[in-house]
């Protein structure tokens, strides 16, 4: 693994990172080739994990009725979110926030039941397992983009209800609905910014030296 | 951003993902060029975030005394972990688990205080903020590897004590010490596997269809 990366390869990675988007618009009626899906899952599985615990599971939704049930959960949460947002609820309902019904493939990313790993997570057990899962998903996301496929991370669901639909064991927690598939085009900027929902803030606000900025 | 990625670019990404390692051995006395560090932080900052909340902060440790204090926290937690591991504690203490003192740059990744974002996190508020931070770190990790620099995510610390050293405000939580810099060589496989601590399990154990496997 002592690969040396050159400027061209490095530039390719930076371009993938810059072009990755949280996609909600997919071309309906499409598929993802099994070999491509396999590469994406392999990329996820090469993610880092604290203490090498690999606390991730990916459930592919093949059954159309199950996908409909999941879409129903998302729709219910969309309305619950609108209610919780108060004044902005109406604006929120106008946004397209998920592509669960149209995307070519729907995967559910699940945090595994705690396996008791102590290494690297004595003080932050739940957090470090979750971070490992998220890193795996980011790998899958970047790989999708490099395969010219869109991916969207949908977190609009009641985790208990989704766990029930998937018959998850005690302690396993669904963390993401991953919508995956061909898209007509990728957004030029984060969709929430393009739609005027919220602005991306500049990097400068997020880097500090030797401690939190003191007022 | 309607970049189309070709086979060569895709292959470069997959090679970076495969070659990324959690590094604990660094060449001491080295530096990271400011322009390179900037690219790495920019890659992190291009990570996805739920509701576009960007819940990350990166604190660069420039002060040598502060770095020593942080190294002291890590050393204390290393011993606490050994104690918690019981029988395997002695084996654990033989492993090199962090490179806080030797790495060229030390960054602390901090979860921002909750900004009250509801979008996409009504049901999983803490989890989705944390996943956003982790995705940003994975971007930084892959970018480091493509820059031929090692990175290690150290989570051996008492978060309250580290928050105190960095004078973090209420609600901000340190989640990672990121050790960064030139290395002599990258591990061929995850170091914990090479050292016989734990084995990587195959992808097949982690992919399922339409629900959790029923026994």
């Amino acid at each position: 693994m002592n690969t040396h990366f050159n400027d061209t390869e490095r530039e390719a990675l930076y371009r993938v990172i810059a072009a990755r988007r949280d996609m909600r618009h997919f071309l309906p009626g499409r598929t993802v080739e099994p070999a491509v899906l396999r590469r994406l899952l392999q990329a996820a599985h090469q993610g880092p994990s604290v203490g090498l615990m690999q606390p991730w599971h990916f459930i592919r939704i093949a059954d159309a009725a199950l996908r409909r049930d999941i879409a129903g959960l998302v729709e219910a949460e969309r309305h619950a979110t609108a209610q919780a947002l108060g004044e902005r609820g109406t604006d929120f309902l106008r946004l397209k926030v998920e592509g669960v019904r149209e995307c070519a493939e729907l995967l559910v990313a699940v945090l595994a039941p705690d396996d008791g790993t102590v290494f690297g997570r004595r003080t932050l057990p739940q957090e470090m397992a979750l971070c490992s899962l998220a890193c795996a998903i980011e790998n899958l996301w970047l790989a999708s983009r490099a395969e010219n496929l869109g991916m969207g991370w949908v977190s609009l669901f009641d985790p208990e209800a989704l766990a029930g639909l998937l018959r998850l064991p005690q302690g396993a927690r669904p963390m993401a609905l991953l919508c995956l598939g061909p898209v007509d085009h990728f957004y030029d900027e984060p969709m929430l910014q393009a739609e005027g929902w919220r602005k991306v803030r500049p990097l400068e606000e997020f880097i500090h030296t030797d401690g939190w900025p003191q007022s």
Side-chain angles (χ1 to χ4, degrees), chain A:
Chain A
M1 282 299 163
N2 270 299
T3 318
H4 183 90
F5 293 99
N6 63 29
D7 291 353
T8 310
E9 293 163 317
R10 188 154 46 248
E11 193 50 39
L13 173 70
Y14 283 128
R15 286 174 59 236
V16 173
I17 285 174
R20 186 208 50 76
R21 287 288 174 275
D22 196 341
M23 299 302 298
R24 297 107 190 262
H25 297 81
F26 294 88
L27 291 169
R30 300 297 186 95
T31 55
V32 174
E33 278 179 47
V36 175
L37 187 57
R38 176 80 190 185
R39 288 200 292 272
L40 300 181
L41 290 165
Q42 191 66 57
H45 194 58
Q46 288 175 316
S49 67
V50 63
L52 213 52
M53 67 189 292
Q54 303 182 294
W56 46 65
H57 288 269
F58 295 93
I59 300 177
R60 178 175 177 244
I61 307 302
D63 183 70
L66 179 57
R67 192 195 285 218
R68 277 195 300 275
D69 289 345
I70 292 173
L73 286 186
V74 171
E75 188 57 14
E77 178 54 31
R78 200 171 72 88
H79 286 282
T81 295
Q83 190 109 33
L85 281 168
E87 282 185 13
R88 292 198 88 186
T90 314
D91 285 346
F92 171 79
L93 286 174
R94 273 191 219 112
L95 296 172
K96 178 154 176 65
V97 292
E98 51 84 16
V100 171
R101 288 171 193 271
E102 315 90 76
C103 62
E105 285 283 347
L106 181 64
L107 303 172
V108 187
V110 174
L111 184 68
D114 199 316
D115 69 357
T117 297
V118 171
F119 195 132
R121 60 192 285 266
R122 199 189 68 90
T123 60
L124 296 160
Q126 177 74 9
E127 290 88 342
M128 286 306 109
L130 193 53
C131 283
S132 303
L133 172 65
C135 287
I137 295 174
E138 180 64 359
N139 273 9
L140 196 155
W141 213 335
L142 294 171
S144 301
R145 187 60 189 87
E147 299 275 3
N148 303 300
L149 295 175
M151 198 198 99
W153 178 331
V154 176
S155 50
L156 290 157
F157 55 82
D158 171 345
E160 303 298 322
L162 183 53
L165 281 180
L166 301 172
R167 308 178 308 276
L168 299 188
Q170 191 71 22
R173 302 186 68 206
M175 284 293 154
L177 292 167
L178 305 178
C179 298
L180 188 69
V183 298
D184 177 64
H185 67 282
F186 287 90
Y187 315 135
D188 285 331
E189 56 181 331
M191 208 205 69
L192 294 187
Q193 176 164 278
E195 295 286 339
W197 181 264
R198 197 169 190 176
K199 272 202 165 68
V200 172
R201 287 174 294 153
L203 176 57
E204 280 61 33
E205 296 182 20
F206 301 91
I207 49 183
H208 318 290
T209 303
D210 290 333
W212 198 263
Q214 303 301 300
S215 50

